Amino acid sequence: MEQRIERLAREHTLPPEDFRALLAGMTPAVRENLRRRAREAARARFGNRIYTRGLIEFTNYCRNDCYYCGIRRSNAAAQRYRLTKEEILDCCREGYALGFRTFVLQGGEDGYFTDDRLAEIVAAIRAGYPDCAITLSVGERSRESYQRLFDAGANRYLLRHETADCAHYASLHPRELSLAHRMECLYTLKEIGYQVGAGFMVGSPGQTVDTLVKDLCFLQELHPQMVGIGPFIPQKDTPLGGEKAGTLEDTLGLLAIIRLMLPDVLLPATTALGTIHPRGREEGILSGANVVMPNLSPAAVRRKYALYDNKVSFGEEAAQGWRLLEQRMEAIGYTLAVERGDYGD
Ligand code: 5AD
């Protein structure tokens, strides 16, 4: 095992059968070994700086019906909201003053946000904050749409692939959604020139060592600039609401493997990781993560963007908790960076 880990750290890749053996043989000792090396790799590349992104959850309307997600269209218990352009710009103004230089606009696939409306919002942010990066996370759209949003000033796009195994994908999503189309979107986004983020939930129902090997091989092939992973957490009003949550340990092991595979990648310690364990975010950073994404959404809507149960959104999860978050990062030897933090910087 030691040799496999050594090889992964040196060559940034492994044959699928070695990824398989690594995942299947993930004892606590193996995981700690991976985490130590991943931490060193992140230190060598980024020093002790953690990049920050201000997350603006601007709509929880969604046309999709993903079985795991709390804002799926069939969830009648979800209280729907959408922010106006002015409210979104207010979030940016507040975020900029707090020190954020990346704004992440995330939402469900909401038909209200046509290309015209969304491009207008992106253009307004671009005009007001020329030194900031704009990240979009609004799901599957057409090439023309992605191009228009890029031309309006968006720089990055997050679209998790969720799982790189077709049958597993089909077990988590209704028939109208396909892995093939999700992957096509990711390649299109890359072609247009976005910095692209893929990723998946850890411990989603039906996930196995084999589906995870496919995830790692897909990440290797796509070579995204960002990877978002966090534990699956059941949401009680969804079809998968009675399933078990993913674990902290599994997520930390995978973060470490991804850091070693993609030494330059921007890798967040996600909100879901902070939700399943009080030290989740810190442990994520100590496994090679180098990004945090505090919540900039107006406090009044924050609880409504409930992808899963008990999502944390106040205290150091909130953008307003910058100082609190900074203290927690400093306690483990890191500092929050006030800069865009583009891939390859
Ligand atoms: N648990 C954890 N993560 C979830 N997501 C959606 N629902 C859940 C859940 N129940 C993740 C998906 C999606 C991202 C925005 O949130 O991976 O891509």
Side-chain angles (χ1 to χ4, degrees):
M1 208 51 107
E2 176 65 28
Q3 279 169 7
R4 271 194 198 102
I5 298 174
E6 180 75 50
R7 181 172 173 195
L8 177 60
R10 197 177 54 242
E11 301 176 14
H12 313 302
T13 181
L14 285 178
E17 58 276 19
D18 286 85
F19 275 135
R20 184 170 212 304
L22 193 57
L23 292 168
M26 188 73 79
T27 60
V30 168
R31 184 166 44 247
E32 287 314 310
N33 185 348
L34 279 166
R35 293 183 67 206
R36 181 178 45 78
R37 287 168 189 271
R39 189 151 71 226
E40 287 166 6
R43 276 268 173 178
R45 176 67 185 77
F46 303 100
N48 69 343
R49 295 196 332 285
I50 302 298
Y51 295 127
T52 55
R53 282 74 170 94
L55 183 60
I56 305 171
E57 296 160 335
F58 70 99
T59 173
N60 71 351
Y61 283 87
C62 191
R63 72 167 65 94
N64 290 330
D65 219 13
C66 307
Y67 303 147
Y68 47 83
C69 184
I71 66 167
R72 66 199 301 267
R73 70 158 183 261
S74 299
N75 183 8
Q79 293 178 44
R80 306 290 169 170
Y81 74 90
R82 55 174 72 94
L83 301 185
T84 63
K85 177 181 163 192
E86 286 64 38
E87 287 171 319
I88 296 171
L89 288 167
D90 284 344
C91 293
C92 295
R93 186 173 325 116
E94 186 176 3
Y96 193 89
L98 286 164
F100 292 97
R101 295 297 177 267
T102 294
F103 302 119
V104 181
L105 264 56
Q106 183 172 95
E109 294 193 17
D110 179 356
Y112 173 85
F113 289 99
T114 57
D115 294 347
D116 281 348
R117 290 198 173 109
L118 203 50
E120 190 188 316
I121 292 168
V122 169
I125 300 174
R126 175 52 58 238
Y129 304 92
D131 57 332
C132 292
I134 301 173
T135 305
L136 295 177
S137 179
V138 289
E140 298 184 8
R141 299 174 80 99
S142 66
R143 174 184 287 268
E144 294 65 40
S145 173
Y146 288 150
Q147 185 70 56
R148 268 198 69 187
L149 297 168
F150 186 79
D151 294 340
N155 314 94
R156 309 183 188 145
Y157 204 102
L158 305 176
L159 182 66
R160 291 188 179 178
H161 65 282
E162 312 295 358
T163 170
D165 180 273
C166 279
H168 187 213
Y169 195 94
S171 76
L172 296 173
H173 301 96
R175 235 206 307 277
E176 59 272 18
L177 294 174
S178 75
L179 177 59
H181 190 252
R182 181 62 60 112
M183 288 181 168
E184 189 186 313
C185 286
L186 283 163
Y187 283 105
T188 301
L189 288 161
K190 231 181 168 198
E191 273 170 35
I192 290 172
Y194 284 94
Q195 296 174 45
V196 168
F200 55 90
M201 294 176 288
V202 177
S204 62
Q207 186 172 69
T208 63
V209 164
D210 291 299
T211 66
L212 284 169
V213 171
K214 289 187 185 175
D215 288 321
L216 296 178
C217 293
F218 174 64
L219 290 178
Q220 192 88 252
E221 182 195 300
L222 176 68
H223 212 98
Q225 285 86 4
M226 303 166 282
V227 173
I229 70 164
F232 162 73
I233 303 175
Q235 202 289 339
K236 61 179 179 3
D237 304 310
T238 63
L240 299 175
E243 301 289 325
K244 282 205 314 284
T247 67
L248 173 72
E249 290 73 22
D250 287 349
T251 308
L252 298 178
L254 281 157
L255 281 170
I257 292 176
I258 292 165
R259 167 58 65 212
L260 293 173
M261 267 175 51
L262 303 167
D264 294 333
V265 84
L266 295 159
L267 187 64
T270 54
T271 306
L273 190 57
T275 296
I276 52 158
H277 193 278
R279 274 184 54 84
R281 244 183 340 233
E282 284 94 330
E283 297 301 333
I285 304 261
L286 296 171
S287 305
N290 70 323
V291 174
V292 290
M293 301 172 68
N295 200 311
L296 261 185
S297 315
V301 304
R302 234 174 258 167
R303 288 187 211 284
K304 298 183 183 165
Y305 201 81
L307 304 184
Y308 44 82
D309 291 333
N310 306 314
K311 181 168 162 254
V312 290
S313 64
F314 291 92
E316 60 282 5
E317 273 307 323
Q320 295 74 8
W322 180 288
R323 188 60 207 136
L324 218 55
L325 183 61
E326 192 168 46
Q327 282 164 1
R328 291 181 63 158
M329 295 296 116
E330 283 168 359
I332 56 167
Y334 291 81
T335 153
L336 293 183
V338 178
E339 52 196 279
R340 275 177 58 142
D342 282 286
Y343 184 84
D345 274 1

